[in-house]
Amino acid sequence: MKKFCDIQSRNELADYLGIPRSKLTHILYVKKPDSYYTTFEIPKRNGDTRAICAPSGDLKVLQKKLSNILCLFQRNIWDENGIKPNISHGFEKEKSIITNAKIHRNKRYVLNLDLASFFDSFHFGRIQGYFEKNNHFKLPHDVAVILAQLTCYQGRLPQGAPSSPIITNLICQSLDAHLLKAAKKYKLDYTRYADDLTFSTNDRHFVENQKKFLAEAIVAITKAGFSINEKKTRLQFRDSRQEVTGLIVNKKLNVNHSYVRKTRAMAHQLYSTGEYLIDGVPGSIKQLEGRFSFIDQLDHYNNILDPQEIKHDAFNLNGREKQYQAFIFYKYLFANDTPVIVTEGKTDIRYIKAALKNLYNKYPRLIQKDAEGKFVYKFSFFRRTKRWKYFFGISLDGADAMRILYRYHIGSNKRIPPYLSYFQKLSGHEQHNPVILLYDNESKSERPLKKFLGEDVHATVDQKAELKAKLHMRLITSSKLFVVTPPLIGDKEECEIEDLFSDELLSLNLEGKTFCHKDKFDSNKYFGKEIFSQYVYENYRTIDFSRFIPLLDVIDMCLIFRQVSFQIPHILLGNNLYNILNPAIKRRTNLHEYLCGNMPVPPHLGDRCWANTCLFTQVLFLHVLIDEQLPEFFITHRHKYLLRTDIQKMPCRLAEHSVYCSHTAKAYSNT
């Protein structure tokens, strides 16, 4: 394959980048690269702002491709010459401010230098000259000019473009080589993170040689086309706080305590009010997650350095890790944007996805097609990750996840906090969206469901009977946490989700092998759940999913209990809602005949009785509460608690319609 350095023309460059030649011409000479950029500012740590110039559209795609190609080209050069780079840590794969800082940990002296106007130093001519004259490239003049045109904005390398980081690192290799030579002369370790240069040593005589080294370093920096920001030059001693790229390096790697305190305060504000401020601007939950993740990276690094006998797991977390644990629960299980389904294994996920794709017209609340015809699920499946394993003790497979998540809802012991009640108290509301624990229907043998109901839930006989009859059970009164099981098939006393498939499919023969649902089997004769689930997912169009309908109906019903976009006082609170709603719809099949007349409805809410209603109430209940929010509605006969003169109007918007809900506090005090 042709190397990047062998490109000789614009057309060859387009071919190498994998884009049509006409598109490259259009970007360069018709629309022109500068027209693709958007400029905005972001705050810096010192209170100043940083200008970001971000490309869009075809230019952004092209720059990403170029960046990947240059990174690969650089890696190949290192491999060919046996180079193990450990100087540049900015914008490098598997490198970060942590890898940069740890080299300078626990040193007697740490010297910090900063390059002034770093990105502005890379002007058009410099980019062109590098690709034209560098020994590893030596590209033709025309090609070098095109690369400069594609990567520069207003004659400079823009901060915010995908191609800028790799180009800066390539050009800075010469600078790094000269500074490394000077550093070795004075027994210094040297690293660079973009424009931050750091030198460190345990040589007690460095103070005497500091001026000499600085003079040599400034000469090397000047020759490379840069200048030093003298205001940021500082020598840090062991008995003071030593910082490298924002991290404290005296002994362990650490972050400034004020950063941790601010993050904790932001989280508490989010839990209490649903929003928080960062530098006076409303912050997103992703930004807060990034701050927690950054702090955790340092804890993880320091944990590795601890003696082997010290355990680090869900039951041995430090204070900062416990804060991160609470945030993870809040984001994914309490303030979850979509309903969450937790399964025993990944094969269950494929089955449900395949069934919904086959029956998508029947379940618009669960799945839809977008404008491009792609399926979009309106809920999410719980993803088992290393993070969940570390902070909650959840393995990457198996039914233990449901038991553990339930315990963190209720707080089963001193080591497991009751996060549900904690966040309910802080926020003043319930979970945003339901969380469903999907078990195989195996409550008789020593299987996961039986253990869960017996050892964790301590379910009564009536509760077990309810689960058997309805295929679902609300686990906690004040939550949207459900346990759901597939239906029993035929005369079977227990069923796995695989039993919902037809006998014909279960006897499927693939390359002379048949399906075995057991965990251990002879691979010469059988194939397991992994291969079977892949087959089901790939062939969902032709498979009979009729036995899945009762299960999907239950999931659909549970997911209706999602965050309500409007509030009706006292109606949506407590378990009475669920207890009343569940049997109501099953007793009525023809709703229309019960919805007529002109009686106000609010005083009829509470004890399963029906009342005649006017038109606006029909709209409210049929199109708002039933279709969008609640599976059933309930109306009482308490006429005396509401008079016409007491009616107050409250606007409730849904879809493109506005309706009015009549209510008074007096009316609801008795429901």
Side-chain angles (χ1 to χ4, degrees):
M1 181 181 175
K2 180 185 289 188
K3 294 183 178 180
F4 187 80
C5 57
D6 296 329
I7 296 173
Q8 295 297 311
S9 66
R10 184 178 72 228
N11 287 339
E12 289 184 10
L13 176 62
D15 296 341
Y16 202 94
L17 293 171
I19 62 172
R21 296 177 178 182
S22 58
K23 180 172 285 187
L24 180 58
T25 302
H26 180 82
I27 294 172
L28 287 169
Y29 307 116
V30 180
K31 192 172 182 178
K32 299 183 178 180
D34 280 11
S35 65
Y36 287 92
Y37 286 88
T38 301
T39 302
F40 56 93
E41 292 184 342
I42 59 173
K44 297 170 68 174
R45 290 195 327 177
N46 61 4
D48 295 336
T49 58
R50 188 189 308 277
I52 301 296
C53 304
S56 60
D58 291 336
L59 181 62
K60 184 178 181 179
V61 173
L62 186 151
Q63 288 182 350
K64 283 184 176 179
K65 289 184 177 182
L66 178 62
S67 175
N68 293 332
I69 289 170
L70 292 176
C71 286
L72 182 61
F73 186 81
Q74 183 186 52
R75 227 170 272 119
N76 290 336
I77 293 174
W78 288 339
D79 293 340
E80 290 172 1
N81 294 275
I83 300 172
K84 295 182 179 180
N86 200 31
I87 296 176
S88 175
H89 293 258
F91 321 117
E92 299 273 5
K93 284 189 177 182
E94 301 179 357
K95 301 289 182 64
S96 66
I97 62 172
I98 294 177
T99 62
N100 180 66
K102 73 179 184 181
I103 294 174
H104 309 286
R105 186 178 64 87
N106 200 24
K107 295 293 182 66
R108 185 181 297 275
Y109 303 111
V110 176
L111 175 65
N112 300 108
L113 304 180
D114 185 84
L115 300 179
S117 304
F118 182 65
F119 277 89
D120 287 344
S121 301
F122 300 91
H123 51 78
F124 188 99
R126 190 172 188 179
I127 308 301
Q128 173 207 321
Y130 174 80
F131 285 113
E132 188 174 354
K133 298 177 182 179
N134 182 268
N135 290 330
H136 295 299
F137 290 95
K138 290 188 176 182
L139 294 171
H141 175 77
D142 292 345
V143 176
V145 170
I146 291 172
L147 289 173
Q149 289 177 309
L150 294 173
T151 56
C152 288
Y153 173 63
Q154 296 182 347
R156 294 285 187 272
L157 205 61
Q159 191 169 356
S163 53
S164 295
I166 177 61
I167 293 176
T168 62
N169 282 338
L170 286 170
I171 295 176
C172 284
Q173 283 183 349
S174 176
L175 169 66
D176 291 336
H178 287 95
L179 287 178
L180 180 62
K181 184 178 180 181
K184 287 183 176 179
K185 179 180 177 180
Y186 293 93
K187 301 179 181 179
L188 294 165
D189 290 319
Y190 165 59
T191 64
R192 180 180 58 83
Y193 192 94
D195 56 351
D196 288 325
L197 315 180
T198 306
F199 306 85
S200 64
T201 184
N202 280 321
D203 183 11
R204 63 177 69 249
H205 301 294
F206 175 70
V207 174
E208 303 167 12
N209 300 319
Q210 179 189 355
K211 291 184 178 180
K212 292 180 181 179
F213 168 74
L214 274 175
E216 293 185 27
I218 291 173
V219 170
I221 291 169
T222 304
K223 283 185 178 181
F226 300 98
S227 61
I228 288 182
N229 185 350
E230 294 182 0
K231 293 181 180 179
K232 293 186 177 181
T233 299
R234 64 191 188 277
L235 181 64
Q236 303 173 94
F237 299 85
R238 176 174 286 172
D239 56 358
S240 63
R241 189 174 71 189
Q242 297 172 322
E243 286 191 17
V244 176
T245 49
L247 300 181
I248 300 170
V249 296
N250 291 73
K251 291 184 179 180
K252 292 183 177 181
L253 292 188
N254 213 334
V255 67
N256 195 303
H257 290 304
S258 65
Y259 185 90
V260 178
R261 288 196 301 270
K262 286 181 181 179
T263 302
R264 187 177 300 172
M266 292 174 186
H268 189 271
Q269 189 179 16
L270 175 66
Y271 305 153
S272 303
T273 66
E275 58 186 15
Y276 74 97
L277 299 177
I278 178 169
D279 297 325
V281 179
S284 67
I285 198 165
K286 285 187 176 180
Q287 285 176 293
L288 190 54
E289 186 172 28
R291 292 175 71 100
F292 273 117
S293 179
F294 170 62
I295 296 169
D296 182 64
Q297 286 182 46
L298 299 175
D299 288 327
H300 180 71
Y301 171 77
N302 290 324
N303 288 343
I304 295 173
L305 299 180
D306 279 342
Q308 295 290 329
E309 62 269 14
I310 298 178
K311 291 185 67 177
H312 298 282
D313 54 28
F315 297 123
N316 294 278
L317 304 177
N318 62 38
R320 303 193 309 192
E321 289 175 326
K322 289 178 180 178
Q323 290 290 326
Y324 192 19
Q325 183 193 66
F327 174 83
I328 294 170
F329 185 98
Y330 176 85
K331 179 184 177 182
Y332 294 98
L333 299 174
F334 187 83
N336 42 320
D337 293 332
T338 62
V340 178
I341 298 178
V342 189
T343 62
E344 292 190 33
K346 60 183 178 181
T347 56
D348 298 352
I349 297 175
R350 294 194 186 114
Y351 300 146
I352 295 173
K353 283 185 174 182
L356 285 173
K357 288 167 73 173
N358 182 281
L359 303 167
Y360 80 94
N361 285 321
K362 185 177 174 64
Y363 300 99
R365 283 188 291 259
L366 301 180
I367 187 172
Q368 286 184 344
K369 279 188 175 182
D370 61 15
E372 298 178 355
K374 296 180 180 179
F375 288 107
V376 178
Y377 300 96
K378 303 176 75 172
F379 62 93
S380 60
F381 288 100
F382 179 78
R383 291 183 60 210
R384 304 160 190 259
T385 62
K386 292 181 179 179
R387 183 170 61 171
W388 282 101
K389 183 178 181 180
Y390 181 85
F391 285 98
F392 293 87
I394 295 173
S395 63
L396 299 181
D397 201 4
D400 67 319
M402 283 88 98
R403 300 182 69 180
I404 293 172
L405 292 178
Y406 174 75
R407 292 168 186 172
Y408 277 97
H409 272 76
I410 64 171
S412 59
N413 56 53
K414 292 182 179 181
R415 297 193 299 178
I416 298 180
Y419 280 133
L420 178 64
S421 60
Y422 172 73
F423 288 121
Q424 283 179 333
K425 186 177 180 180
L426 277 178
S427 65
H429 60 72
E430 297 181 356
Q431 287 167 293
H432 288 200
N433 282 290
V435 176
I436 296 175
L437 310 181
L438 179 59
Y439 276 97
D440 286 332
N441 199 337
E442 299 169 321
S443 58
K444 292 186 177 294
S445 60
E446 295 299 318
R447 302 292 290 173
L449 178 60
K450 183 179 180 180
K451 292 180 180 179
F452 175 65
L453 294 176
E455 299 174 12
D456 295 286
V457 180
H458 304 293
T460 64
V461 174
D462 291 342
Q463 287 176 315
K464 293 178 180 179
E466 178 188 2
L467 177 60
K468 182 178 179 181
K470 300 178 181 178
L471 304 180
H472 74 280
M473 181 176 70
R474 198 173 192 179
L475 291 169
I476 307 171
T477 300
S478 60
S479 78
K480 297 175 183 177
L481 181 66
F482 296 87
V483 60
V484 171
T485 68
L488 296 175
I489 303 299
D491 297 330
K492 292 186 176 183
E493 293 186 343
E494 294 186 331
C495 279
E496 296 179 331
I497 194 169
E498 286 84 3
D499 294 319
L500 301 182
F501 293 105
S502 66
D503 295 338
E504 180 183 359
L505 183 62
L506 292 173
S507 59
L508 176 71
N509 190 301
L510 294 177
E511 299 179 356
K513 300 179 182 179
T514 56
F515 173 55
C516 180
H517 65 84
K518 297 180 180 180
D519 294 332
K520 296 181 180 180
F521 55 88
D522 185 351
S523 59
N524 295 318
K525 298 180 179 179
Y526 305 100
F527 58 86
K529 294 181 180 181
E530 178 67 21
I531 294 176
F532 182 73
S533 64
Q534 290 177 357
Y535 178 88
V536 169
Y537 189 77
E538 293 169 0
N539 298 273
Y540 71 90
R541 294 181 181 86
T542 59
I543 292 175
D544 179 14
F545 288 99
S546 57
R547 289 179 176 177
F548 277 78
I549 291 177
L551 172 61
L552 297 179
D553 284 346
V554 170
I555 293 174
D556 189 33
M557 187 277 292
C558 292
L559 296 195
I560 293 173
F561 284 83
R562 56 184 69 215
Q563 188 177 17
V564 183
S565 57
F566 60 90
Q567 294 294 320
I568 304 178
H570 303 296
I571 295 179
L572 302 180
L573 302 178
N575 199 38
N576 289 333
L577 172 66
Y578 179 75
N579 293 336
I580 294 171
L581 294 182
N582 192 45
I585 200 168
K586 296 179 180 179
R587 300 188 309 167
R588 303 298 187 198
T589 56
N590 188 350
L591 298 178
H592 186 267
E593 66 178 284
Y594 296 99
L595 294 174
C596 57
N598 59 5
M599 184 178 293
V601 170
H604 301 275
L605 299 173
D607 52 9
R608 310 185 196 179
C609 297
W610 291 87
N612 295 334
T613 63
C614 59
L615 178 61
F616 82 83
T617 308
Q618 296 182 37
V619 174
L620 171 65
F621 277 88
L622 285 176
H623 298 291
V624 179
L625 292 181
I626 294 178
D627 289 346
E628 297 296 331
Q629 300 294 343
L630 306 176
E632 305 90 15
F633 63 89
F634 51 103
I635 308 175
T636 80
H637 59 275
R638 295 184 176 137
H639 303 173
K640 63 182 179 180
Y641 292 113
L642 183 63
L643 301 174
R644 287 280 182 177
T645 56
D646 296 325
I647 297 176
Q648 300 176 357
K649 294 181 177 181
M650 179 182 72
C652 302
R653 293 186 67 86
L654 188 74
E656 297 178 354
H657 302 281
S658 296
V659 298
Y660 288 91
C661 175
S662 306
H663 72 95
T664 65
K666 183 178 179 181
Y668 290 114
S669 65
N670 293 279
T671 60

